[in-house]
Amino acid sequence: MTGSRGSYYLALKQIAKAANSSLSLRKIFNSVAKSTAKALQANGCRILLLDPPKKYLITMGSHGLSDLYLRKGPLDAQKSLPEILDGEVVIIADATKDKRVQHPEIAQAQGVSSILGFPVLEKEETVGEIRVYTREPHQFSEGDTSFLTSVANICAVLFEKAELHQFLAQNHEASKRQARADQAPQLPTTSLRPSEFAHPSEDDFARLLDFYRIEWLYEPRAFPLRWNGNDIAEMFTPDFYLPELDLYIELTTLKQDLITAKNRKLRRLRELYPEINIKLLTKNDFIRLLAKYGYGPLGEAKIEGVSRILYSHAQIQRRVRALARRISRDYAGQRLVIVGILKGVICFMADLMQHISLPVTLDLMAVSPYESDGEVVKITRDLDSSITGQHVLMIEDIVDTGMTLNYILSHLSAHNPASLRVCTLLDKRARRLVNVSLDYIGFEIPDEFVVGYGLDYKGEYRNLPFIAILRPEVTKEDDAEAQPGPSDAQH
Ligand code: IMP
């Protein structure tokens, strides 16, 4: 594989033309891949973008590669030729034997013999890759490197251009919403949307996932379902893969009779690939799901008070498990009394205790809320059992001014426990008035009023499975009471 000056020149001319055309993003990148492969006399080429958390490589365009090869599963950036991420050029002489190749069996089936990986750099940071594939072992010339450097530079500019386009489109949408509802525009939470969707419902679903900060990949894997001899006769490509949940999602807005055919495919997929977790979302499921989270025709009012999600359910669960592991290590060989203050702590406490691998007993307290009427804080529910000589861990939902915790800690210390420590899910350090020491902290959060996962505003929102920031308009009317917040009988 090697090009000539003439072929480089011709390819760069075509690439520059496509880059400055009004073609869709996918077509531009397909065209770049095609010109690149031709110039290098290679059999295939693929242009990949690194997703913002730098976990996965997303195919932006390709040439000469089969669907099966392109959709062989999520391409883990840290596992699939990670040297390219460090800015190195990688040459794989034999893709079927090299340990760096994630799916060698598929490379073999596709007749891919050699791979050349080239970084796409944006101001010295790797933002993507160009991969070139050949069926024969290749010779890699200096001319090829300098040609690929130019293609990579053009790709970097194209990525930036696409990001800008998407940002402008989202802002345009947001300002339309603002004009409609006189609400503050929501800032986009993700950067470049890696794919163009085949159907508008997929776009809606991707937005929903973005809003809930759930990571997603679009059509990363095609599953062969039937074979004709050695040839694949039928394949199935689920729409989404959600890595955090290890779940594939197929959306369908089809009529019932067509859904039956899809269900048949899914059954076959489950038979052939029992380790794969896949769900079919019908139009009704989808509308109900949107409604559950306050979107779509059924759900407009449900979470209208929520401005943005701070931590998704999956992020909270990960953090809670990590805290429980640390607590289990620190108290190894001891018995532990965990004490929570009602009501905000219920979700956190329930999840945390399930992951603590020690003998644990549980107690709950409640205090009167701050009423600004000169009354002092009172314990409205005290401990059921004595804590004298016991190792006590106080569990809090959120520490804000620190006044509640300070009061409770002095009450508990008076009972002479063997030790007394504090574990809080959220630490709103910026508002601290009383210095209390916190031993275990889930997340440090900004000075915003948050709800969900047990936390309330005027008794509501506790049942949201995530932690979200309330829209300022919601708390504006009674700002004076809004901090510390809940106005019902217990925290
Ligand atoms: P502190 O005494 O100011 O630290 O307040 C602690 C209590 O105030 C917590 O246990 C919560 O019940 C409540 N609180 C403080 N900030 C928030 C918030 O952002 N959302 C919901 N409740 C809050």
Side-chain angles (χ1 to χ4, degrees):
M1 173 190 84
T2 186
S4 65
R5 273 170 166 268
S7 64
Y8 302 144
Y9 171 73
L10 185 64
L12 285 173
K13 195 170 131 187
Q14 287 163 342
I15 290 170
K17 190 172 170 199
N20 200 25
S21 72
S22 57
L23 290 172
S24 73
L25 210 54
R26 174 158 297 187
K27 285 193 177 137
I28 293 175
F29 282 111
N30 281 346
S31 162
V32 175
K34 185 174 176 184
S35 305
T36 306
K38 278 191 160 176
L40 296 171
Q41 291 172 10
N43 305 96
C45 176
R46 178 183 205 183
I47 303 191
L48 297 147
L49 169 74
L50 193 59
D51 71 348
K54 297 195 187 297
K55 272 196 191 153
Y56 294 99
L57 289 159
I58 319 275
T59 302
M60 299 297 285
S62 68
H63 172 75
L65 298 165
S66 74
D67 217 27
L68 182 67
Y69 191 77
L70 289 170
R71 304 195 195 290
K72 56 189 187 267
L75 208 54
D76 188 327
Q78 303 303 327
K79 287 192 192 143
S80 175
L81 314 185
E83 303 86 344
I84 308 178
L85 291 190
D86 300 329
E88 285 177 34
V89 175
V90 171
I91 301 168
I92 306 274
D94 186 348
T96 60
K97 295 210 179 74
D98 200 300
K99 289 215 164 31
R100 291 171 292 178
V101 175
Q102 261 191 305
H103 304 275
E105 68 298 344
I106 303 184
Q108 184 159 32
Q110 296 297 299
V112 168
S113 147
S114 308
I115 304 175
L116 161 68
F118 207 89
V120 174
L121 304 171
E122 213 176 272
K123 300 181 196 86
E124 290 176 21
E125 196 190 336
T126 308
V127 291
E129 299 180 7
I130 303 175
R131 293 191 186 185
V132 179
Y133 304 81
T134 65
R135 290 205 192 97
E136 307 297 330
H138 68 264
Q139 293 292 317
F140 185 49
S141 72
E142 260 180 44
D144 290 343
T145 328
S146 90
F147 165 70
L148 278 170
T149 308
S150 303
V151 179
N153 281 333
I154 296 174
C155 286
V157 175
L158 279 171
F159 287 162
E160 239 177 351
K161 175 179 156 183
E163 238 162 20
L164 186 65
H165 265 271
Q166 186 176 304
F167 179 75
L168 292 176
Q170 284 184 354
N171 260 10
H172 181 61
E173 268 296 302
S175 50
K176 273 204 306 206
R177 269 204 308 278
Q178 186 183 21
R180 265 204 315 268
D182 195 31
Q183 289 169 342
Q186 284 190 8
L187 289 174
T189 50
T190 49
S191 75
L192 186 59
R193 226 160 239 273
S195 317
E196 280 151 27
F197 296 104
H199 196 275
S201 65
E202 295 170 357
D203 201 355
D204 285 345
F205 189 62
R207 278 172 212 264
L208 182 75
L209 294 171
D210 283 347
F211 183 75
Y212 288 99
R213 304 201 162 203
I214 296 172
E215 217 180 311
W216 56 266
L217 297 169
Y218 184 60
E219 298 190 336
R221 183 165 171 189
F223 295 88
L225 294 185
R226 277 175 217 289
W227 289 260
N228 209 343
N230 279 339
D231 297 333
I232 296 166
E234 188 184 16
M235 285 220 285
F236 183 63
T237 308
D239 298 319
F240 287 90
Y241 176 63
L242 316 182
E244 281 175 4
L245 312 177
D246 187 20
L247 175 67
Y248 285 89
I249 297 273
E250 173 67 8
L251 284 183
T252 172
T253 46
L254 300 172
K255 297 200 190 73
Q256 193 54 47
D257 51 334
L258 295 168
I259 293 175
T260 315
K262 235 181 205 181
N263 264 323
R264 202 157 8 98
K265 283 192 181 183
L266 250 73
R267 264 201 306 279
R268 174 111 183 117
L269 190 149
R270 289 190 182 113
E271 268 165 38
L272 291 171
Y273 308 91
E275 73 289 359
I276 296 294
N277 211 355
I278 180 160
K279 275 196 184 143
L280 183 71
L281 284 187
T282 64
K283 188 168 187 177
N284 279 345
D285 291 336
F286 185 50
I287 289 176
R288 253 181 269 134
L289 185 75
L290 288 175
K292 182 173 168 213
Y293 294 119
Y295 278 88
L298 296 179
E300 292 288 283
K302 186 76 186 294
I303 57 158
E304 65 181 7
V306 165
S307 136
R308 76 184 168 91
I309 308 289
L310 205 51
Y311 297 107
S312 72
H313 184 68
Q315 285 172 314
I316 298 172
Q317 293 303 319
R318 260 204 304 271
R319 190 69 194 120
V320 169
R321 280 199 296 274
L323 285 175
R325 274 198 299 274
R326 257 190 62 204
I327 292 168
S328 306
R329 255 198 325 269
D330 292 355
Y331 287 90
Q334 289 166 346
R335 305 181 75 82
L336 188 60
V337 182
I338 56 173
V339 177
I341 307 177
L342 290 171
K343 296 177 188 170
V345 82
I346 55 164
C347 294
F348 177 44
M349 196 160 183
D351 284 343
L352 185 76
M353 60 193 251
Q354 291 174 57
H355 296 288
I356 297 180
S357 53
L358 304 165
V360 161
T361 53
L362 164 81
D363 219 327
L364 290 164
M365 298 176 71
V367 291
S368 57
Y370 173 69
E371 294 283 10
S372 71
D373 57 2
E375 282 287 307
V376 292
V377 59
K378 277 197 289 276
I379 291 174
T380 55
R381 185 202 146 101
D382 209 341
L383 298 170
D384 288 333
S385 316
S386 161
I387 54 162
T388 306
Q390 309 267 359
H391 293 289
V392 176
L393 181 62
M394 270 286 312
I395 314 285
E396 264 282 33
D397 48 356
I398 180 165
V399 181
D400 185 17
T401 63
M403 292 200 281
T404 313
L405 184 61
N406 185 54
Y407 179 77
I408 300 275
L409 286 177
S410 54
H411 174 79
L412 295 179
S413 311
H415 289 84
N416 295 319
S419 69
L420 179 58
R421 289 191 194 159
V422 180
C423 170
T424 183
L425 177 64
L426 304 176
D427 178 8
K428 214 193 277 181
R429 198 165 297 176
R431 286 181 36 97
R432 193 77 88 256
L433 296 178
V434 182
N435 224 350
V436 277
S437 92
L438 305 176
D439 303 278
Y440 304 94
I441 299 168
F443 304 101
E444 192 180 325
I445 61 162
D447 182 8
E448 305 264 15
F449 198 82
V450 292
V451 290
Y453 194 62
L455 291 156
D456 75 313
Y457 176 65
K458 295 191 164 181
E460 282 184 43
Y461 304 101
R462 290 197 201 273
N463 57 334
L464 298 178
F466 43 76
I467 294 171
I469 295 180
L470 268 194
R471 280 192 192 284
E473 310 89 90
V474 177
T475 49
K476 204 161 55 195
E477 298 140 29
D478 41 15
D479 237 354
E481 301 155 64
Q483 305 273 2
S487 63
D488 58 342
Q490 292 161 326
H491 286 242

